[in-house]
Amino acid sequence: MIGRTLGVYFGRRFLGAVLGIFVGCAGLIMLIDLLELSRRVGERDVDFGTLMLLVVYRMPFFTEQLLPFAVLFGAIGTFLTLSRRLELVVARAAGISAWQFIAPACLLALLLGVFSTTVYNPVSADFKDRASRLEAEIFNRQTGLFAMTTGGFWMRQQSVDGQAIIQAAATSDGGRQLTGVNVFLFGADDKLTERIEAVRAILEPGAWRLEHARVLTPGIGLQEYDAYMLATNLTPNQVQETLQSDTVPFWQLPAAIDAATRVGFGAERYRLQYQSLLARPMLLLAMVLIAASVSLRVFRFGGIGQTILGGVAAGFLLYVSTKLAEDLGEAGIVHPVIAAWFPAVVGALMGILILLHREDG
């Protein structure tokens, strides 16, 4: 059995490598994002502090997708470094098997997965929500009458006022508030009766309250209102359903699944997101096992370049397979549980199989 001191040493090396890669890549992502946002801002009067705040808000969502690769590259780098320094050779000579000295990395990968699911994902979802609102405030500052936002989402509603198509740049408060709103209201003959632009829309029982609204009505002209009421039959859950499920934090997904099911909306995206987050520790464990299967060879045997390339290719293939399975699950072709867990479990089993073949014959 591996000793506590040696286990802590291996674990510290692995954790340091993962965090180093994660922080380095996060810094690079923030720099690129800052440059891209600066280009998009153009002539708008936006101070650097606001722009940096937007970059910080966007960063967790981007880096959440980075974690599996940070674990993969961190594990490969750790095992290759230990092998190059002959520390693994000494450990083997002392009677420690490969299973024992990869155990600390496996345990830490599982803990990182649990932390990512239960802590980092809710923070990422909250920051993404704040980023959407801030981005809408920055890029929805109109330069002309009834300018359209380039992003956001669209939804349709039917009410006593007629059929309406709503475009919004961002949403918050569980679908109760929209930012950067454009509304196209149609009458019974499907002719446009009103076009409304508002800074924000707040969902109240049976109506949207449009704040700082400008209403263009054919034959009447432009009118401005501090608050303008638009009837609606939508609920916050129905509005939230139009969004991507990654805006819902992990702890709120069970309630979102239940609510979407009760109102008759498909909850497949929420179920898939929930199962994917539950499977994240297994995915990180699979990355460690894949890294171990291609990295535990002595440097003097050569072929290190091919080893690293093989590990990167295997990890990338696992990640692509995970995304492909999620797409199939979202389309309803594959059950969400299978779509979320199958690639991670198969990747872990393949890593174990290769290690068994190399270590135990």
Side-chain angles (χ1 to χ4, degrees):
M1 186 66 182
I2 188 172
R4 178 180 177 181
T5 301
L6 189 58
V8 170
Y9 173 73
F10 285 163
R12 188 171 66 246
R13 294 291 298 273
F14 168 75
L15 187 60
V18 172
L19 292 180
I21 293 173
F22 185 83
V23 172
C25 292
L28 182 60
I29 290 173
M30 290 181 66
L31 178 60
I32 295 174
D33 195 32
L34 178 61
L35 294 175
E36 173 62 18
L37 288 175
S38 299
R39 183 192 65 81
R40 288 177 57 194
V41 165
E43 300 298 326
R44 291 179 173 88
D45 184 19
V46 181
D47 60 272
F48 182 76
T50 301
L51 210 57
M52 274 302 303
L53 182 61
L54 178 58
V55 171
V56 171
Y57 281 160
R58 286 158 58 99
M59 188 269 295
F61 177 73
F62 293 144
T63 54
E64 191 177 6
Q65 315 302 316
L66 173 69
L67 185 58
F69 291 102
V71 170
L72 174 68
F73 295 144
I76 291 177
T78 299
F79 295 142
L80 287 178
T81 301
L82 293 174
S83 179
R84 180 175 61 84
R85 296 180 178 180
L86 301 181
E87 291 172 295
L88 294 186
V89 176
V90 174
R92 290 176 186 272
I96 299 175
S97 69
W99 301 103
Q100 291 175 305
F101 54 69
I102 70 170
C106 292
L107 177 60
L108 284 172
L110 290 173
L111 293 177
L112 283 173
V114 172
F115 175 81
S116 173
T117 295
T118 59
V119 178
Y120 199 76
N121 174 262
V123 172
S124 171
D126 179 62
F127 274 34
K128 188 173 187 292
D129 188 40
R130 297 185 186 188
S132 297
R133 296 200 304 269
L134 183 57
E135 189 172 3
E137 292 175 3
I138 293 174
F139 295 102
N140 198 49
R141 295 172 182 172
Q142 311 294 356
T143 57
L145 185 62
F146 291 102
M148 295 291 292
T149 57
T150 57
F153 63 96
W154 298 77
M155 60 184 174
R156 183 190 300 269
Q157 70 168 39
Q158 182 72 40
S159 67
V160 294
D161 288 340
Q163 182 176 251
I165 298 176
I166 303 174
Q167 186 222 14
T171 184
S172 59
D173 194 20
R176 293 176 177 84
Q177 180 172 309
L178 308 178
T179 306
V181 181
N182 284 279
V183 180
F184 302 87
L185 188 62
F186 298 88
D189 54 357
D190 291 332
K191 290 185 177 180
L192 183 67
T193 58
E194 287 182 347
R195 180 173 177 181
I196 308 168
E197 175 193 84
V199 173
R200 69 177 54 85
I202 299 175
L203 183 60
E204 298 180 349
W208 289 103
R209 179 161 57 87
L210 305 174
E211 297 183 346
H212 305 291
R214 294 189 290 180
V215 182
L216 182 62
T217 306
I220 297 178
L222 179 66
Q223 296 174 297
E224 297 189 4
Y225 301 88
D226 291 334
Y228 187 83
M229 305 303 292
L230 176 68
T232 184
N233 57 358
L234 295 176
T235 66
N237 291 324
Q238 291 171 328
V239 176
Q240 189 73 11
E241 181 63 23
T242 64
L243 309 177
Q244 293 296 324
S245 57
D246 51 33
T247 61
V248 182
F250 171 75
W251 297 110
Q252 296 179 16
L253 279 170
I257 293 171
D258 183 61
T261 303
R262 283 201 313 270
V263 299
F265 275 70
E268 284 76 14
R269 286 189 297 177
Y270 291 139
R271 292 193 180 97
L272 178 62
Q273 180 71 7
Y274 186 62
Q275 292 298 327
S276 297
L277 289 171
L278 289 177
R280 184 167 292 173
M282 178 62 69
L283 177 63
L284 300 188
L285 175 63
M287 290 295 186
V288 172
L289 291 171
I290 289 174
S293 67
V294 300
S295 304
L296 296 180
R297 60 181 299 166
V298 183
F299 254 67
R300 59 188 174 86
F301 290 162
I304 300 303
Q306 292 85 347
T307 296
I308 297 175
L309 183 60
V312 172
F316 181 76
L317 181 61
L318 174 59
Y319 186 80
V320 170
S321 300
T322 301
K323 292 303 178 183
L324 178 61
E326 289 179 356
D327 290 340
L328 294 175
E330 187 172 339
I333 299 175
V334 179
H335 193 278
V337 175
I338 298 176
W341 285 89
F342 184 76
V345 172
V346 170
L349 291 177
M350 289 297 296
I352 292 174
L353 181 63
I354 296 173
L355 281 174
L356 284 172
H357 175 72
R358 290 189 174 181
E359 297 298 322
D360 301 324

